[in-house]
Structures are given as structure tokens and as C-alpha cells.
């Protein structure tokens, strides 16, 4: 009886056993692995931005927390609490002091409402922006079409053929796109786009045409509002809040262009890029339907309430020196 008891006491005195595939995981080691995974590597002076399972396994052994441990064991330990330190999620501070008011106006226009009243039949909502730096990359070997058990193949090596910008105005409720390509963005190219839209019916004779834009330099601030109203008295420029371009529905169209037209990029020159984009625009307009926009002012109120609860929960949230953002957090994936 004395022998086994003494061996048991000796084992406890030596600490937890090595953590390996065939060894039972000691609770203390499990806690230490999880605690390490919940720390930023940089806080320990390591030249890593985030952990991986092999990296954690090496660090556990390097710190003497276990004699041996595999990456698969680390993965199983973290999976118990759904800890994934190799993933990350971005967030931003709400910088615009009038975020709620501006966002509500934009969302109301998406629902054909202005100042609490439905829009008339001769009032329209346009969402406009620029897609910049679309490159013409001429692949050094021809692209191979897909075949049986073979996906499309694109040669990685290419020659640069320049870049252009695609400016587009999207009628939110008619699902019609008006676009043009330009060598660069700026006030003049944007006003050319406005002229292209406002010079034709039904916009030329409309009671009001609301233009929703972000805060890009081509149409920023009160100067842009005045410039548009001076040129077209029936045009009303509306800005999304800062860091809220996701409210601009033309961005959805741009994502379609990126997936269906630009990627993978294999063009012999900028003329081919422009021809392809404009041809796709005509193809899109032939069958387009309005986007099923689901984010409402009520959803906005819920989001802002969650932000406020987050502020109350994290009162000591620190900001880097020199940062002027407001202390409210807006998650990119919210």
C-alpha cells in the first residue's frame, strides 16, 4: 500500500504530466494553453501578429508549460471554448457626430421616404460612387478555359497596361445603372457623370433627384452640395456618414462588377477594360431588379443601442495617442 501511495504523491509533486497525443490533458495545462491563446503575441515580445496552432504548441513547449504538445492537441483544447486566435474581426470608432441623423436619412430614401413622407412618382434616388484603379493586366500566356476535371487557369505573370476609374450612378428603385470610365477621379469626372444622368428623362424634368454619395474627395462637403444644386436645381446631394459607405447601394453593384468582370483580370489594354465594363453595364440593365435592401432605421437604432451598451461595458477602452475618433464602436460585420 505504501509503494503506490508514495508514487502518487511523487507524481503530484512533479507537476502535470507532459501533454501529448496519448496522455490525458491536465486541467492546469488546458488553462495555460487557453490563457496563452487569449494574449496577443506582441504583448510577449514575439514577432507575430496572431497565433496559429503550431505556433502555440511551440510556445507552450518553449515556456516549459509542457514537455511536448502537438498542434492538433492545441486545436482540440481551443475548440472546446471556440477560441480561434488565428482569425480576426475589424471594427472602427463612429467618428461622425451626426451619424444617426445622416444614416436615417439615407435609409429612409432607400425606403422611398423623405422627412416622414413617401416620395412622389416624379422623385428619384440615385446612389453614386467611383471604382478606382481598375488595372489592365495582360497575361504573358493565354488564359486556359475550363475543361473536364480542370478549372480555368490564369497565368500569374503579366504586364501592366495602366489603370482607369469606373464612375457609376445607380437608380435605387428602378435598378438602372449609368456609368462611364475616366482616366482618374475628381470633381470634373464626377460632374460629367451627373450631367450624363440629369440630362435625360425622367431625371431632367423630375421634381427632385436625390444623389447619395460617400465622403470621397470628388463630392465631399457643403461645396459639393452647392455645386450640384447650382448646376441642377432639382438635384439634392446626400452624404452617408463617415465610414458608412456600406449604406451606398452602388457599392453592391461594384462588388458584382469585381466578381463578374474584373476578376480574373486579363486585358490587353485599357480600351478592352472599358469596352468590357460598359458592355456588362448594358447586360446588367437588361435584367436588373432592385436590391432587396433589408437594413432599416429600426435596425440602425438597435445597432446604436448595442454600441452604447458596449461603451458602458468597456468604460476604459483606450485609444492610441493622437486619435480623434469618437468613443463609440461600430463593428464592420454588424
Amino acid at each position: 500500500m505504501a509503494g503506490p501511495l508514495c508514487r502518487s504523491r511523487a507524481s503530484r509533486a512533479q507537476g502535470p504530466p507532459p501533454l501529448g497525443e496519448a496522455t490525458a490533458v491536465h486541467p492546469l495545462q488546458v488553462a495555460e494553453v487557453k490563457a496563452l491563446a487569449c494574449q496577443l503575441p506582441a504583448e510577449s515580445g514575439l514577432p507575430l501578429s496572431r497565433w496559429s496552432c503550431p505556433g502555440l504548441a511551440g510556445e507552450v513547449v518553449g515556456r516549459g508549460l509542457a514537455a511536448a504538445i502537438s498542434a492538433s492537441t492545441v486545436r482540440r483544447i481551443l475548440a472546446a471554448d471556440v477560441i480561434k486566435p488565428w482569425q480576426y474581426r475589424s471594427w472602427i470608432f463612429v467618428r461622425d457626430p451626426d451619424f444617426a441623423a445622416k444614416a436615417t436619412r439615407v435609409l429612409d430614401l432607400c425606403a422611398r421616404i423623405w422627412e416622414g413622407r413617401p416620395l412622389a412618382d416624379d422623385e428619384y434616388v440615385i446612389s453614386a460612387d467611383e471604382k478606382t484603379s481598375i488595372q489592365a493586366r495582360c497575361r504573358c500566356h493565354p488564359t486556359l478555359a475550363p475543361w473536364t476535371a480542370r478549372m480555368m487557369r490564369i497565368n500569374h505573370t503579366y504586364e501592366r497596361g495602366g489603370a482607369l476609374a469606373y464612375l457609376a450612378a445607380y437608380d435605387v428603385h428602378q435598378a438602372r445603372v449609368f456609368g462611364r470610365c475616366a482616366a482618374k477621379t475628381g470633381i470634373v469626372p464626377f460632374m460629367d457623370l451627373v450631367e450624363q444622368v440629369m440630362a435625360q428623362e425622367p431625371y431632367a424634368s423630375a421634381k427632385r433627384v436625390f444623389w447619395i454619395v460617400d465622403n470621397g474627395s470628388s463630392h465631399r462637403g457643403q461645396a459639393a452640395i452647392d455645386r450640384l444644386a447650382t448646376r441642377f436645381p432639382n438635384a439634392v446631394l446626400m452624404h452617408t456618414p463617415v465610414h458608412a459607405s456600406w449604406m451606398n447601394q452602388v457599392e453592391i453593384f461594384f462588388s458584382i462588377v469585381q466578381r463578374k468582370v474584373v476578376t480574373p483580370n486579363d486585358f490587353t489594354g485599357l480600351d478592352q477594360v472599358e469596352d468590357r465594363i460598359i458592355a456588362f453595364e448594358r447586360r446588367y440593365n437588361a435584367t436588373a431588379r432592385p436590391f432587396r435592401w433589408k437594413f432599416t432605421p429600426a435596425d440602425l437604432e438597435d445597432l446604436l443601442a448595442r454600441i452604447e451598451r458596449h461603451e458602458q461595458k468597456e468604460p476604459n477602452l483606450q485609444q492610441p495617442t493622437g486619435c480623434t475618433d469618437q468613443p463609440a464602436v461600430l463593428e464592420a460585420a454588424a
Side-chain angles (χ1 to χ4, degrees):
M1 293 295 294
L5 179 60
C6 291
R7 285 195 295 272
S8 175
R9 289 174 177 173
S11 298
R12 287 198 297 269
Q14 294 173 359
L19 195 55
E21 292 295 333
T23 306
V25 181
H26 193 280
L28 177 59
Q29 292 175 319
V30 170
E32 289 172 333
V33 170
K34 292 180 179 179
L36 181 60
C38 292
Q39 299 175 14
L40 296 177
E43 294 177 352
S44 300
L46 298 175
L48 301 173
S49 61
R50 46 187 164 151
W51 291 115
S52 64
C53 288
L56 278 168
E59 187 67 15
V60 167
V61 174
R63 294 190 180 194
L65 302 179
I69 184 173
S70 68
S72 59
T73 299
V74 170
R75 186 175 294 108
R76 287 196 298 271
I77 291 174
L78 300 183
D81 286 338
V82 199
I83 300 174
K84 301 178 181 180
W86 48 88
Q87 295 183 356
Y88 68 92
R89 187 175 181 180
S90 63
W91 55 270
I92 59 175
F93 286 97
V94 175
R95 294 177 51 194
D96 197 323
D98 298 323
F99 183 93
K102 292 180 179 179
T104 298
R105 287 196 295 266
V106 171
L107 294 175
D108 280 346
L109 286 174
C110 292
R112 292 194 60 82
I113 296 174
W114 176 249
E115 295 181 343
R117 297 182 180 180
L119 295 182
D121 292 339
D122 59 347
E123 292 181 300
Y124 300 90
V125 179
I126 299 291
S127 171
D129 202 5
E130 306 97 348
K131 182 173 178 60
T132 61
S133 300
I134 304 176
Q135 297 187 48
R137 298 176 178 176
C138 183
R139 305 291 167 172
C140 296
H141 296 278
T143 297
L144 299 178
W147 196 251
T148 303
R150 187 189 75 186
M151 66 182 67
M152 181 193 302
R153 294 183 180 179
I154 306 293
N155 179 239
H156 178 74
T157 308
Y158 59 87
E159 294 181 357
R160 298 180 185 274
L164 53 73
Y166 177 46
L167 295 84
Y170 174 74
D171 188 317
V172 172
H173 303 110
Q174 304 297 321
R176 188 180 178 189
V177 178
F178 307 87
R180 62 190 301 115
C181 293
K184 59 182 180 180
T185 61
I187 294 175
V188 173
F190 177 73
M191 290 304 295
D192 288 342
L193 175 68
V194 175
E195 185 84 33
Q196 176 182 338
V197 176
M198 297 299 293
Q200 58 183 289
E201 296 296 344
Y203 312 103
S205 59
K207 177 182 178 181
R208 275 185 302 196
V209 180
F210 296 92
W211 284 75
I212 300 175
V213 297
D214 61 16
N215 296 274
S217 58
S218 302
H219 34 67
R220 181 185 299 160
Q222 187 63 41
I225 296 175
D226 297 339
R227 184 166 53 247
L228 189 68
T230 300
R231 179 65 185 87
F232 300 100
N234 63 335
V236 181
L237 192 68
M238 301 293 301
H239 290 99
T240 62
V242 176
H243 290 331
S245 294
W246 53 270
M247 291 185 177
N248 211 2
Q249 291 195 26
V250 73
E251 299 293 349
I252 304 175
F253 173 71
F254 282 154
S255 71
I256 296 173
V257 171
Q258 181 67 36
R259 288 181 281 111
K260 292 183 175 291
V261 182
V262 178
T263 306
N265 190 317
D266 188 2
F267 299 104
T268 58
L270 292 179
D271 290 343
Q272 189 180 19
V273 177
E274 182 172 356
D275 292 344
R276 180 81 63 83
I277 290 177
I278 299 304
F280 176 78
E281 181 184 303
R282 291 193 295 267
R283 177 186 176 92
Y284 180 85
N285 284 334
T287 58
R289 296 182 179 180
F291 299 126
R292 290 185 294 177
W293 187 260
K294 298 180 179 181
F295 196 85
T296 66
D299 296 321
L300 176 65
E301 291 181 6
D302 178 68
L303 174 59
L304 296 178
R306 286 191 284 120
I307 291 174
E308 184 177 358
R309 290 196 296 270
H310 177 85
E311 291 176 347
Q312 295 172 353
K313 184 178 179 181
E314 303 287 347
N316 297 321
L317 189 64
Q318 298 295 320
Q319 299 183 40
T321 303
C323 181
T324 58
D325 289 348
Q326 298 296 320
V329 176
L330 177 62
E331 293 196 21

